[in-house]
């Protein structure tokens, strides 16, 4: 008879959020898979539990999954814990769940805190509908492109971010969504928990003025209002217009026309929002520069 895989949700900061089932699952496991053995060993020490730890971060979990499935099929019980929060949400645990399910192995989820849901509630931004993106791309042009693709989502947008990239991501958000309210949530459930809220450009200024900030962060972007959704719908219904716009931008870039001038001219020509055309110009400019390298 095969064993069982426990997916264990752990605190995102405050150890008081840990349920009794977390300790039960860890004690029942023959071994514990985790992202970082140092982080999980501290959690186990707090619980007074000693177990074999198996490193299963994003760099090795694909290679280790078959071996772990074999152990489960042989009757062992394994637990998986991410560094914090619910495993499989923007972390490698989903690979193991998928492999276990395919092998017909029982999977039990031990619910726990989730940074994205906690931030959504703490932000005060409408959460009737929301879309969790995880981490945005590292390059500015790719960030802008992805945010532009998400503009039509009729709900709040949630992003994970690290302290040293928060300002860069907020810059892209302010560029694509200058009228939307944004919340930056950091150190959730911890002593220095903080939620900063404002329109995207104003929040960016606040963060830049603050300088270095610590702690893992979640950025929540408000849903589009009716006017923005109307503008998006017009663009979606006009693919020919988008193709013509792309050709005009390409010609303008070839003529070395400044990005701001291109955006102003073409937004008037196609009756589009200047910021949306500007975002498209920057993306195409970066692609053109990359191809020329």
């Amino acid at each position: 008879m095969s064993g069982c895989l426990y997916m264990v949700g752990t605190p995102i900061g405050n150890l008081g959020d840990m349920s009794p089932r977390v300790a039960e699952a860890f004690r029942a496991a023959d071994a514990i898979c985790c992202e970082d053995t140092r982080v999980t060993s501290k959690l186990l020490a707090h619980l007074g539990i000693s177990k074999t730890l198996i490193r299963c971060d994003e760099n090795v979990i694909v290679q280790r999954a078959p071996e772990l499935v074999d152990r489960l099929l042989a009757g062992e019980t394994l637990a998986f814990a991410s560094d914090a929060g619910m495993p499989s949400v923007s972390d490698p645990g989903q690979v193991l769940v998928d492999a276990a399910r395919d092998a017909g192995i029982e999977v039990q989820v031990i619910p726990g805190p989730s940074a994205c849901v906690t931030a959504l509630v703490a932000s005060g931004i409408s959460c009737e509908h929301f879309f969790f993106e995880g981490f945005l791309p590292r390059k500015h042009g790719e960030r802008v492109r992805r945010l532009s693709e998400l503009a039509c989502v009729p709900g709040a947008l949630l992003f994970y971010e690290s302290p040293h990239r928060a300002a860069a991501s907020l810059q892209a958000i302010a560029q694509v969504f200058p009228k939307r309210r944004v919340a930056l949530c950091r150190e959730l459930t911890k002593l220095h928990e903080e939620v900063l809220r404002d329109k995207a450009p104003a929040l960016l200024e606040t963060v830049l003025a603050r300088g270095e900030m610590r702690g893992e962060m979640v950025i929540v972007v408000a849903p589009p209002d009716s006017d923005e959704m109307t503008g998006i719908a017009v663009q979606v219904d006009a693919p020919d217009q988008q193709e013509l716009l792309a050709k005009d931008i390409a010609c303008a870039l070839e003529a070395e026309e400044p990005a701001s001038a291109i955006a102003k001219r073409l937004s008037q020509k196609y009756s589009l929002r200047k910021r949306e055309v500007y975002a498209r110009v920057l993306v195409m400019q970066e692609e053109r520069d990359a191809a020329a390298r």
Side-chain angles (χ1 to χ4, degrees):
M1 182 178 293
S2 63
C4 177
L5 172 63
Y6 289 111
M7 301 299 291
V8 185
T10 55
I12 59 176
N14 192 320
L15 293 178
D17 295 332
M18 189 156 41
S19 75
R21 291 187 65 201
V22 171
E24 292 172 7
F26 284 153
R27 289 194 178 96
D30 294 297
I32 298 172
C33 306
C34 54
E35 284 189 273
D36 189 327
T37 56
R38 295 166 298 179
V39 173
T40 303
S41 63
K42 292 178 182 177
L43 184 62
L44 292 177
H46 174 78
L47 295 170
I49 298 173
S50 178
K51 292 285 179 176
T52 299
L53 298 179
I54 304 171
R55 182 171 68 91
C56 288
D57 60 27
E58 61 182 1
N59 298 313
V60 300
I61 195 167
V62 173
Q63 291 76 26
R64 287 196 168 158
E67 169 200 342
L68 297 173
V69 168
D70 287 342
R71 293 179 62 167
L72 289 162
L73 289 172
E76 288 192 45
T77 295
L78 299 178
F80 181 96
S82 59
D83 286 348
M86 281 299 298
S88 297
V89 180
S90 198
D91 82 20
Q94 194 61 42
V95 173
L96 188 53
V97 174
D98 188 31
R101 290 290 188 193
D102 284 346
I105 295 165
E106 179 185 4
V107 177
Q108 290 191 23
V109 178
I110 312 301
S114 171
C116 62
V117 175
T118 302
L120 180 59
V121 176
S123 73
I125 288 173
S126 172
C127 56
E128 184 177 356
H129 304 287
F130 65 90
F131 180 89
F132 174 67
E133 171 72 3
F135 289 91
L136 283 167
R138 293 181 178 275
K139 294 183 178 179
H140 179 73
E142 293 175 1
R143 283 196 201 101
V144 170
R145 182 192 299 114
R146 182 55 182 158
L147 288 167
S148 298
E149 292 171 350
L150 295 173
C152 61
V153 174
L157 304 175
L158 282 81
F159 307 96
Y160 281 164
E161 198 48 274
S162 59
H164 65 278
R165 287 177 46 187
S169 288
L170 286 172
Q171 182 181 17
I173 290 169
Q175 179 179 318
V176 180
F177 305 128
K179 295 183 179 180
R180 292 201 201 182
R181 182 172 289 276
V182 178
L184 176 67
C185 309
R186 71 181 192 90
E187 296 284 78
L188 290 169
T189 77
K190 298 178 183 178
L191 180 62
H192 300 292
E193 176 178 317
E194 182 179 34
V195 178
L196 302 174
R197 296 179 359 135
D198 213 326
K199 290 291 183 66
L203 181 59
L204 173 61
E205 290 183 11
T206 299
V207 169
L208 290 174
R210 288 272 296 270
E212 182 181 0
M213 292 193 296
R214 297 181 180 180
E216 295 303 311
M217 302 179 181
V218 183
I219 299 173
V220 184
V221 180
D225 59 22
S226 57
D227 288 342
E228 187 174 352
M229 285 301 293
T230 298
I232 292 168
V234 170
Q235 293 182 53
V236 171
D237 292 338
D240 292 341
Q241 183 190 60
Q242 291 299 307
E243 292 178 6
L244 292 172
L245 174 62
K247 290 180 180 178
D248 278 352
I249 291 174
C251 291
L253 290 174
E254 188 67 27
E256 298 185 352
E257 184 178 348
S260 58
I262 298 173
K264 181 178 180 180
R265 177 171 61 81
L266 296 183
S267 63
Q268 294 173 348
K269 177 179 179 179
Y270 291 99
S271 299
L272 296 172
R273 296 172 185 269
K274 182 180 176 181
R275 65 176 176 81
E276 294 166 357
V277 178
Y278 186 74
R280 184 84 176 270
V281 172
L282 290 182
V283 170
M284 292 183 63
Q285 189 174 50
E286 185 169 299
E287 291 173 344
R288 181 172 175 268
D289 292 342
R293 295 191 191 108

